[in-house]
Amino acid sequence: MNAALLGPLVAAVLVTAIARHLRLSAPLVLVITGLLVGLIPEIPEIVLRPELVLFVILPPLLWSAGLESSVISMRRTKSSIALLAVGLPLATTVAVGVVAYYTVPEFTLAAALTLGAIVAPPDAVSALAVGRRVGLPRPIMTLLAGESLLNDATALTVYKVSLAATIGVATGWGVGLLTFALAAVGGIAVGVAFGAVIVVIRARLTDPVVESAVGLLAPFVIYLAAEEIRGSGVLAVVVAALILGQRSTSAHYATRLQDQAVWRAAQLVLESLAFLLIGLQLPAVVQNLHGVRFSTLIVASLAVFGTLLAVRAVWVVTFAYAPRMLSKKVRQREPAPIPGQVFVLAWAGMRGVVSLAAAFGVPLTTLSGAPFPGRPQLVFLTFVVVVGTLLLHGLTLPWVIRRLGVPTDQDHADAIAAAAAQDKAALAAAQRLDEVLASTEPSPASERAADALRGLNTRRRNAARERLRRFDPDHDDSDETAAAAFRRLRLEMLAAERAALIRERDLGRIDDQVLRKVLHRLDLEEAQLNLD
């Protein structure tokens, strides 16, 4: 990593820290900061390298998002996700391509379709980061996650085909469909194979640090392996991550704790860098526009941006209601869509750094040596779409959600579900304890241990119910339950233990290694209490 990249990386993390402290949307603050910094003449120009995004930033972010995604939820909405991840990018590519062809005189039809493929997919980084920040409901986040994790494979494959046609490589519909099929099948095959292998490897490892190291390397290896066989690296990483995420419940608890911390930190660093880099591209984009008519750029920008919004809105609304209108089975099988959520989904089409990377990856010339038709306009229009969607949707989504009355708080429903599940789990634990005691010789020690375990089991059930009280607007904090009192008093005890241990270290009675081991146990207990 050279200094040219280290500076933006450090700046991105610092800006993110400030934005989070001020409770501002970090993605939007980073993009705006990048735009403002890019206007300073003394700042060195930083041109986005496609290989940095596609091979360094994208794989781990896809991996992290895949690990956090719910396979069960995505399976329930697989039809909707398929329409959004395959059908919508193709429709957007064609619509934007046709509009761009007629508004930018320098474009050939193939070059215009290349632009359409570049701006077609909502970005996984942008969609999920902004979606989390504005509090999108979980059903919408599930659809956005499934769409943004898979649509890059569709759009990037179409991008390769249309780009090849533009630079002079002979292609046709048959070749394009074959390329698409091979990319999809190859990517899925590589993802399944590597996912299965990593599951086996991690099951045989007993060192959480080594397990996390394997997880850190996996997305890069999988992405490169899939791309080497002309498969979709995006699909391969996503499929493998979904497999690993589904199997994470069988991993060691220390591995889960460590993976969660590692990937949250990596996600913050990479997302921050990606959003800052978007804003920093302004000088490079403007520099290439010498000789291009300003009026043409304005007309093309408005036409392409408006087409992008319109196609998504029409597509989402059509496929939300048309199947129910045409099929009685669909009406019986699926609940009616909620208008507010449908509109929010149609409005949440943020583009991101992957689109910019694809635009900057367009060659300067064709195979004949002629300039690539309309390349400066292509890069500029991509920049307009990316920054425009991030700012427009990011700034207006909170207002739209409030205006439409779309619920954004899943905590209450989660608490109800968790309390019910904890009740069942506690009953199963109590039953198993009775079975074990019945099969062994009774002793005073086992009876004392059983009493302590029954008390712990009861506290866990009460803690789950206690979480429900937090959503009761008439709850009086003075009416403290036993579970709440236990949590409050135990946290005070832990704080005293921690202070005493640190004092022992400061007096030289224990060293730092001993202190860290003991503090780790206290930290795990405090984490459990705060989770309850």
Side-chain angles (χ1 to χ4, degrees):
M1 182 184 295
N2 55 32
L5 185 58
L6 182 60
L9 183 61
V10 173
V13 174
L14 289 176
V15 172
T16 299
I18 295 171
R20 289 164 68 97
H21 178 72
L22 297 176
R23 298 185 180 277
L24 300 174
S25 174
L28 300 183
V29 173
L30 285 163
V31 172
I32 294 171
T33 300
L35 290 171
L36 295 176
V37 170
L39 296 175
I40 302 175
E42 291 77 13
I43 299 297
E45 183 179 310
I46 299 173
V47 179
L48 188 67
R49 292 185 297 171
E51 59 272 16
L52 171 68
V53 175
L54 298 178
F55 292 94
V56 177
I57 295 179
L58 184 60
L61 287 177
L62 288 172
W63 182 264
S64 176
L67 291 177
E68 294 177 357
S69 299
S70 169
V71 175
I72 295 174
S73 297
M74 291 176 66
R75 188 180 295 135
R76 289 174 184 160
T77 56
K78 59 181 180 295
S79 298
S80 299
I81 290 175
L83 288 169
L84 291 171
V86 179
L88 181 54
L90 295 176
T92 305
T93 298
V94 173
V96 170
V98 170
V99 170
Y101 177 68
Y102 285 105
T103 55
V104 179
E106 292 80 3
F107 275 162
T108 63
L109 182 58
L113 289 174
T114 302
L115 170 66
I118 288 172
V119 301
D123 185 48
V125 180
S126 306
L128 298 181
V130 175
R132 286 193 299 266
R133 179 64 184 82
V134 302
L136 290 179
R138 183 166 297 158
I140 297 179
M141 285 296 288
T142 298
L143 289 173
L144 278 179
E147 175 194 10
S148 57
L149 286 173
L150 301 174
N151 63 10
D152 282 338
T154 303
L156 290 178
T157 303
V158 177
Y159 163 76
K160 291 177 182 178
V161 174
S162 57
L163 183 63
T166 309
I167 64 176
V169 178
T171 57
W173 288 108
V175 175
L177 291 174
L178 180 61
T179 302
F180 185 86
L182 290 176
V185 172
I188 293 173
V190 170
V192 170
F194 271 91
V197 170
I198 295 173
V199 166
V200 173
I201 292 174
R202 295 187 70 167
R204 283 163 172 72
L205 294 175
T206 57
D207 188 340
V209 176
V210 176
E211 289 190 55
S212 291
V214 171
L216 282 172
L217 292 175
F220 303 104
V221 175
I222 295 170
Y223 190 92
L224 285 172
E227 291 293 322
E228 283 295 319
I229 66 167
R230 300 186 177 237
S232 169
V234 172
L235 266 182
V237 172
V238 169
V239 169
L242 290 174
I243 293 173
L244 268 294
Q246 187 74 3
R247 297 296 299 272
S248 64
T249 52
S250 60
H252 194 273
Y253 79 91
T255 302
R256 286 196 299 273
L257 286 173
Q258 185 163 267
D259 278 353
Q260 187 179 49
V262 167
W263 282 111
R264 281 185 177 178
Q267 189 176 42
L268 183 143
V269 171
L270 293 174
E271 283 184 355
S272 301
L273 177 62
F275 286 113
L276 185 66
L277 286 175
I278 289 173
L280 289 174
Q281 300 316 298
L282 179 59
V285 171
V286 174
Q287 185 178 5
N288 294 327
L289 293 175
H290 295 301
V292 180
R293 294 181 60 182
F294 182 73
S295 59
T296 301
L297 291 177
I298 294 297
V299 172
S301 298
L302 293 174
V304 167
F305 195 77
T307 302
L308 200 76
L309 299 181
V311 170
R312 183 175 182 87
V314 171
W315 186 275
V316 171
V317 172
T318 298
F319 286 99
Y321 293 100
R324 293 183 57 82
M325 296 172 61
L326 300 174
S327 173
K328 183 178 180 181
K329 291 183 179 179
V330 173
R331 291 194 295 271
Q332 294 173 343
R333 184 178 66 245
E334 299 179 2
I338 302 173
Q341 294 191 2
V342 172
F343 184 84
V344 169
L345 180 63
W347 194 243
M350 287 75 72
R351 271 61 176 177
V353 70
V354 174
S355 292
L356 270 181
F360 279 105
V362 171
L364 296 174
T365 61
T366 64
L367 293 180
S368 66
F372 188 98
R375 186 182 187 277
Q377 293 91 328
L378 182 148
V379 175
F380 176 79
L381 291 173
T382 303
F383 184 82
V384 168
V385 166
V386 170
V387 175
T389 54
L390 280 174
L391 296 181
L392 176 65
H393 298 316
L395 292 173
T396 60
L397 262 177
W399 177 83
V400 169
I401 290 172
R402 291 193 301 269
R403 184 71 176 143
L404 296 177
V406 177
T408 60
D409 192 354
Q410 285 282 146
D411 290 343
H412 193 189
D414 289 347
I416 294 173
Q422 186 63 61
D423 264 346
K424 294 179 181 178
L427 290 173
Q431 182 179 353
R432 180 57 183 160
L433 178 62
D434 292 338
E435 292 173 355
V436 172
L437 291 175
S439 64
T440 59
E441 288 292 329
S443 68
S446 62
E447 287 298 327
R448 287 194 298 271
D451 289 340
L453 289 171
R454 290 189 183 100
L456 176 62
N457 207 29
T458 300
R459 285 197 300 273
R460 289 174 65 84
R461 294 179 69 184
N462 290 339
R465 292 169 181 164
E466 174 64 23
R467 287 194 291 273
L468 294 177
R469 293 168 58 85
R470 302 174 192 172
F471 303 99
D472 182 3
D474 299 323
H475 171 56
D476 182 2
D477 289 335
S478 64
D479 184 19
E480 190 175 40
T481 64
F486 176 86
R487 176 179 177 277
R488 176 176 57 81
L489 295 174
R490 184 55 187 153
L491 286 174
E492 293 290 343
M493 293 170 65
L494 288 174
E497 288 184 57
R498 191 176 285 109
L501 289 166
I502 294 173
R503 187 165 54 252
E504 290 294 297
R505 189 275 312 272
D506 293 342
L507 293 173
R509 294 170 183 165
I510 59 175
D511 62 25
D512 280 302
Q513 289 185 344
V514 174
L515 175 66
R516 292 191 190 102
K517 289 180 180 179
V518 181
L519 286 183
H520 181 65
R521 299 190 187 102
L522 298 183
D523 292 341
L524 288 175
E525 185 176 352
E526 184 170 355
Q528 179 61 49
L529 289 169
N530 284 321
L531 185 63
D532 289 339

mmCIF file of all heavy atoms in Angstrom, residues 368-398:
data_model
loop_
_atom_site.group_PDB
_atom_site.id
_atom_site.type_symbol
_atom_site.label_atom_id
_atom_site.label_comp_id
_atom_site.label_asym_id
_atom_site.label_seq_id
_atom_site.Cartn_x
_atom_site.Cartn_y
_atom_site.Cartn_z
ATOM 1 N N SER A 368 -8.981 -1.437 -33.028
ATOM 2 C CA SER A 368 -8.456 -0.805 -34.247
ATOM 3 C C SER A 368 -7.577 0.399 -33.950
ATOM 4 O O SER A 368 -6.975 0.966 -34.869
ATOM 5 C CB SER A 368 -9.630 -0.378 -35.137
ATOM 6 O OG SER A 368 -10.383 0.646 -34.498
ATOM 7 N N GLY A 369 -7.492 0.802 -32.684
ATOM 8 C CA GLY A 369 -6.699 1.966 -32.318
ATOM 9 C C GLY A 369 -7.494 3.247 -32.246
ATOM 10 O O GLY A 369 -6.981 4.290 -31.820
ATOM 11 N N ALA A 370 -8.746 3.220 -32.647
ATOM 12 C CA ALA A 370 -9.598 4.408 -32.575
ATOM 13 C C ALA A 370 -10.014 4.662 -31.128
ATOM 14 O O ALA A 370 -10.081 3.728 -30.317
ATOM 15 C CB ALA A 370 -10.836 4.209 -33.453
ATOM 16 N N PRO A 371 -10.295 5.927 -30.773
ATOM 17 C CA PRO A 371 -10.755 6.202 -29.405
ATOM 18 C C PRO A 371 -12.055 5.457 -29.106
ATOM 19 O O PRO A 371 -12.911 5.306 -29.981
ATOM 20 C CB PRO A 371 -10.972 7.720 -29.402
ATOM 21 C CG PRO A 371 -10.147 8.227 -30.523
ATOM 22 C CD PRO A 371 -10.159 7.157 -31.573
ATOM 23 N N PHE A 372 -12.189 5.021 -27.867
ATOM 24 C CA PHE A 372 -13.437 4.368 -27.445
ATOM 25 C C PHE A 372 -14.564 5.382 -27.576
ATOM 26 O O PHE A 372 -14.478 6.493 -27.050
ATOM 27 C CB PHE A 372 -13.323 3.884 -26.007
ATOM 28 C CG PHE A 372 -14.482 3.028 -25.557
ATOM 29 C CD1 PHE A 372 -14.388 1.653 -25.577
ATOM 30 C CD2 PHE A 372 -15.672 3.612 -25.121
ATOM 31 C CE1 PHE A 372 -15.457 0.862 -25.162
ATOM 32 C CE2 PHE A 372 -16.741 2.833 -24.715
ATOM 33 C CZ PHE A 372 -16.630 1.455 -24.736
ATOM 34 N N PRO A 373 -15.634 5.045 -28.290
ATOM 35 C CA PRO A 373 -16.694 6.036 -28.564
ATOM 36 C C PRO A 373 -17.373 6.556 -27.305
ATOM 37 O O PRO A 373 -18.012 5.807 -26.576
ATOM 38 C CB PRO A 373 -17.679 5.258 -29.440
ATOM 39 C CG PRO A 373 -17.377 3.824 -29.224
ATOM 40 C CD PRO A 373 -15.933 3.728 -28.893
ATOM 41 N N GLY A 374 -17.184 7.858 -27.056
ATOM 42 C CA GLY A 374 -17.879 8.501 -25.940
ATOM 43 C C GLY A 374 -17.381 8.109 -24.564
ATOM 44 O O GLY A 374 -18.142 8.213 -23.598
ATOM 45 N N ARG A 375 -16.115 7.705 -24.424
ATOM 46 C CA ARG A 375 -15.642 7.271 -23.098
ATOM 47 C C ARG A 375 -15.725 8.383 -22.041
ATOM 48 O O ARG A 375 -16.159 8.132 -20.914
ATOM 49 C CB ARG A 375 -14.206 6.750 -23.185
ATOM 50 C CG ARG A 375 -13.715 6.158 -21.857
ATOM 51 C CD ARG A 375 -12.262 5.684 -21.948
ATOM 52 N NE ARG A 375 -11.867 4.987 -20.732
ATOM 53 C CZ ARG A 375 -11.442 5.601 -19.620
ATOM 54 N NH1 ARG A 375 -11.371 6.937 -19.588
ATOM 55 N NH2 ARG A 375 -11.104 4.907 -18.554
ATOM 56 N N PRO A 376 -15.306 9.642 -22.343
ATOM 57 C CA PRO A 376 -15.436 10.688 -21.314
ATOM 58 C C PRO A 376 -16.883 10.870 -20.848
ATOM 59 O O PRO A 376 -17.145 11.030 -19.647
ATOM 60 C CB PRO A 376 -14.919 11.945 -22.031
ATOM 61 C CG PRO A 376 -14.018 11.425 -23.097
ATOM 62 C CD PRO A 376 -14.653 10.145 -23.553
ATOM 63 N N GLN A 377 -17.836 10.839 -21.787
ATOM 64 C CA GLN A 377 -19.240 10.971 -21.409
ATOM 65 C C GLN A 377 -19.699 9.768 -20.591
ATOM 66 O O GLN A 377 -20.488 9.910 -19.649
ATOM 67 C CB GLN A 377 -20.114 11.113 -22.670
ATOM 68 C CG GLN A 377 -19.876 12.404 -23.432
ATOM 69 C CD GLN A 377 -18.808 12.254 -24.508
ATOM 70 O OE1 GLN A 377 -17.875 11.474 -24.357
ATOM 71 N NE2 GLN A 377 -18.946 13.006 -25.594
ATOM 72 N N LEU A 378 -19.230 8.586 -20.935
ATOM 73 C CA LEU A 378 -19.603 7.376 -20.198
ATOM 74 C C LEU A 378 -19.162 7.471 -18.737
ATOM 75 O O LEU A 378 -19.942 7.178 -17.814
ATOM 76 C CB LEU A 378 -18.988 6.149 -20.878
ATOM 77 C CG LEU A 378 -19.312 4.774 -20.286
ATOM 78 C CD1 LEU A 378 -19.346 3.711 -21.393
ATOM 79 C CD2 LEU A 378 -18.284 4.351 -19.242
ATOM 80 N N VAL A 379 -17.904 7.880 -18.515
ATOM 81 C CA VAL A 379 -17.395 7.996 -17.145
ATOM 82 C C VAL A 379 -18.146 9.086 -16.389
ATOM 83 O O VAL A 379 -18.516 8.918 -15.216
ATOM 84 C CB VAL A 379 -15.878 8.281 -17.159
ATOM 85 C CG1 VAL A 379 -15.364 8.518 -15.742
ATOM 86 C CG2 VAL A 379 -15.119 7.127 -17.801
ATOM 87 N N PHE A 380 -18.390 10.215 -17.053
ATOM 88 C CA PHE A 380 -19.099 11.317 -16.397
ATOM 89 C C PHE A 380 -20.523 10.915 -16.017
ATOM 90 O O PHE A 380 -20.979 11.188 -14.898
ATOM 91 C CB PHE A 380 -19.132 12.535 -17.323
ATOM 92 C CG PHE A 380 -19.929 13.680 -16.773
ATOM 93 C CD1 PHE A 380 -19.392 14.514 -15.807
ATOM 94 C CD2 PHE A 380 -21.232 13.920 -17.202
ATOM 95 C CE1 PHE A 380 -20.137 15.574 -15.286
ATOM 96 C CE2 PHE A 380 -21.981 14.960 -16.686
ATOM 97 C CZ PHE A 380 -21.423 15.802 -15.727
ATOM 98 N N LEU A 381 -21.239 10.277 -16.929
ATOM 99 C CA LEU A 381 -22.617 9.871 -16.636
ATOM 100 C C LEU A 381 -22.661 8.836 -15.513
ATOM 101 O O LEU A 381 -23.577 8.849 -14.691
ATOM 102 C CB LEU A 381 -23.277 9.325 -17.903
ATOM 103 C CG LEU A 381 -23.561 10.361 -18.997
ATOM 104 C CD1 LEU A 381 -24.056 9.672 -20.268
ATOM 105 C CD2 LEU A 381 -24.569 11.395 -18.511
ATOM 106 N N THR A 382 -21.687 7.951 -15.488
ATOM 107 C CA THR A 382 -21.616 6.994 -14.375
ATOM 108 C C THR A 382 -21.427 7.719 -13.057
ATOM 109 O O THR A 382 -22.065 7.406 -12.043
ATOM 110 C CB THR A 382 -20.466 5.994 -14.596
ATOM 111 O OG1 THR A 382 -20.649 5.326 -15.843
ATOM 112 C CG2 THR A 382 -20.415 4.971 -13.472
ATOM 113 N N PHE A 383 -20.527 8.710 -13.036
ATOM 114 C CA PHE A 383 -20.270 9.491 -11.826
ATOM 115 C C PHE A 383 -21.539 10.216 -11.380
ATOM 116 O O PHE A 383 -21.871 10.243 -10.195
ATOM 117 C CB PHE A 383 -19.143 10.487 -12.097
ATOM 118 C CG PHE A 383 -18.729 11.286 -10.893
ATOM 119 C CD1 PHE A 383 -17.862 10.757 -9.958
ATOM 120 C CD2 PHE A 383 -19.203 12.576 -10.701
ATOM 121 C CE1 PHE A 383 -17.477 11.491 -8.845
ATOM 122 C CE2 PHE A 383 -18.831 13.314 -9.601
ATOM 123 C CZ PHE A 383 -17.963 12.770 -8.667
ATOM 124 N N VAL A 384 -22.250 10.794 -12.327
ATOM 125 C CA VAL A 384 -23.496 11.499 -12.004
ATOM 126 C C VAL A 384 -24.509 10.539 -11.379
ATOM 127 O O VAL A 384 -25.164 10.867 -10.377
ATOM 128 C CB VAL A 384 -24.083 12.150 -13.272
ATOM 129 C CG1 VAL A 384 -25.511 12.630 -13.022
ATOM 130 C CG2 VAL A 384 -23.222 13.312 -13.721
ATOM 131 N N VAL A 385 -24.643 9.347 -11.954
ATOM 132 C CA VAL A 385 -25.604 8.369 -11.440
ATOM 133 C C VAL A 385 -25.209 7.914 -10.033
ATOM 134 O O VAL A 385 -26.060 7.843 -9.126
ATOM 135 C CB VAL A 385 -25.692 7.157 -12.388
ATOM 136 C CG1 VAL A 385 -26.399 5.988 -11.708
ATOM 137 C CG2 VAL A 385 -26.422 7.541 -13.665
ATOM 138 N N VAL A 386 -23.932 7.609 -9.833
ATOM 139 C CA VAL A 386 -23.492 7.108 -8.528
ATOM 140 C C VAL A 386 -23.685 8.161 -7.447
ATOM 141 O O VAL A 386 -24.320 7.915 -6.412
ATOM 142 C CB VAL A 386 -22.014 6.663 -8.605
ATOM 143 C CG1 VAL A 386 -21.471 6.367 -7.209
ATOM 144 C CG2 VAL A 386 -21.872 5.432 -9.482
ATOM 145 N N VAL A 387 -23.139 9.349 -7.660
ATOM 146 C CA VAL A 387 -23.252 10.410 -6.654
ATOM 147 C C VAL A 387 -24.712 10.852 -6.512
ATOM 148 O O VAL A 387 -25.195 11.087 -5.394
ATOM 149 C CB VAL A 387 -22.354 11.599 -7.035
ATOM 150 C CG1 VAL A 387 -22.561 12.759 -6.056
ATOM 151 C CG2 VAL A 387 -20.892 11.180 -7.031
ATOM 152 N N GLY A 388 -25.418 10.949 -7.630
ATOM 153 C CA GLY A 388 -26.815 11.382 -7.574
ATOM 154 C C GLY A 388 -27.696 10.437 -6.779
ATOM 155 O O GLY A 388 -28.496 10.877 -5.941
ATOM 156 N N THR A 389 -27.568 9.126 -7.020
ATOM 157 C CA THR A 389 -28.400 8.179 -6.273
ATOM 158 C C THR A 389 -28.021 8.130 -4.800
ATOM 159 O O THR A 389 -28.895 8.027 -3.932
ATOM 160 C CB THR A 389 -28.292 6.771 -6.881
ATOM 161 O OG1 THR A 389 -26.914 6.392 -6.971
ATOM 162 C CG2 THR A 389 -28.920 6.710 -8.251
ATOM 163 N N LEU A 390 -26.721 8.208 -4.508
ATOM 164 C CA LEU A 390 -26.303 8.182 -3.106
ATOM 165 C C LEU A 390 -26.869 9.381 -2.348
ATOM 166 O O LEU A 390 -27.412 9.240 -1.242
ATOM 167 C CB LEU A 390 -24.776 8.176 -3.008
ATOM 168 C CG LEU A 390 -24.082 6.831 -3.223
ATOM 169 C CD1 LEU A 390 -22.565 7.008 -3.238
ATOM 170 C CD2 LEU A 390 -24.473 5.844 -2.139
ATOM 171 N N LEU A 391 -26.740 10.560 -2.937
ATOM 172 C CA LEU A 391 -27.216 11.757 -2.244
ATOM 173 C C LEU A 391 -28.733 11.836 -2.240
ATOM 174 O O LEU A 391 -29.344 12.127 -1.205
ATOM 175 C CB LEU A 391 -26.615 13.008 -2.899
ATOM 176 C CG LEU A 391 -25.091 13.142 -2.810
ATOM 177 C CD1 LEU A 391 -24.627 14.424 -3.479
ATOM 178 C CD2 LEU A 391 -24.626 13.098 -1.367
ATOM 179 N N LEU A 392 -29.358 11.574 -3.391
ATOM 180 C CA LEU A 392 -30.822 11.667 -3.462
ATOM 181 C C LEU A 392 -31.487 10.657 -2.537
ATOM 182 O O LEU A 392 -32.308 11.020 -1.675
ATOM 183 C CB LEU A 392 -31.286 11.448 -4.904
ATOM 184 C CG LEU A 392 -32.808 11.421 -5.104
ATOM 185 C CD1 LEU A 392 -33.409 12.777 -4.770
ATOM 186 C CD2 LEU A 392 -33.158 11.015 -6.535
ATOM 187 N N HIS A 393 -31.156 9.392 -2.694
ATOM 188 C CA HIS A 393 -31.806 8.362 -1.879
ATOM 189 C C HIS A 393 -31.354 8.431 -0.425
ATOM 190 O O HIS A 393 -32.159 8.255 0.497
ATOM 191 C CB HIS A 393 -31.511 6.982 -2.450
ATOM 192 C CG HIS A 393 -32.031 6.785 -3.838
ATOM 193 N ND1 HIS A 393 -33.284 7.190 -4.228
ATOM 194 C CD2 HIS A 393 -31.469 6.221 -4.944
ATOM 195 C CE1 HIS A 393 -33.479 6.893 -5.505
ATOM 196 N NE2 HIS A 393 -32.387 6.321 -5.962
ATOM 197 N N GLY A 394 -30.056 8.633 -0.236
ATOM 198 C CA GLY A 394 -29.556 8.679 1.139
ATOM 199 C C GLY A 394 -30.145 9.809 1.951
ATOM 200 O O GLY A 394 -30.413 9.657 3.142
ATOM 201 N N LEU A 395 -30.346 10.963 1.319
ATOM 202 C CA LEU A 395 -30.885 12.117 2.039
ATOM 203 C C LEU A 395 -32.402 12.057 2.194
ATOM 204 O O LEU A 395 -32.950 12.587 3.161
ATOM 205 C CB LEU A 395 -30.495 13.415 1.319
ATOM 206 C CG LEU A 395 -29.006 13.776 1.347
ATOM 207 C CD1 LEU A 395 -28.726 14.971 0.463
ATOM 208 C CD2 LEU A 395 -28.546 14.048 2.779
ATOM 209 N N THR A 396 -33.088 11.432 1.243
ATOM 210 C CA THR A 396 -34.558 11.463 1.277
ATOM 211 C C THR A 396 -35.193 10.208 1.874
ATOM 212 O O THR A 396 -36.357 10.251 2.270
ATOM 213 C CB THR A 396 -35.125 11.668 -0.138
ATOM 214 O OG1 THR A 396 -34.699 10.576 -0.981
ATOM 215 C CG2 THR A 396 -34.642 12.978 -0.733
ATOM 216 N N LEU A 397 -34.453 9.099 1.923
ATOM 217 C CA LEU A 397 -35.059 7.860 2.414
ATOM 218 C C LEU A 397 -35.606 7.980 3.836
ATOM 219 O O LEU A 397 -36.721 7.504 4.106
ATOM 220 C CB LEU A 397 -34.051 6.709 2.331
ATOM 221 C CG LEU A 397 -34.170 5.808 1.102
ATOM 222 C CD1 LEU A 397 -33.064 4.755 1.092
ATOM 223 C CD2 LEU A 397 -35.529 5.127 1.039
ATOM 224 N N PRO A 398 -34.869 8.575 4.786
ATOM 225 C CA PRO A 398 -35.461 8.716 6.129
ATOM 226 C C PRO A 398 -36.779 9.464 6.119
ATOM 227 O O PRO A 398 -37.728 9.072 6.802
ATOM 228 C CB PRO A 398 -34.377 9.493 6.903
ATOM 229 C CG PRO A 398 -33.113 9.208 6.174
ATOM 230 C CD PRO A 398 -33.495 9.097 4.739
#
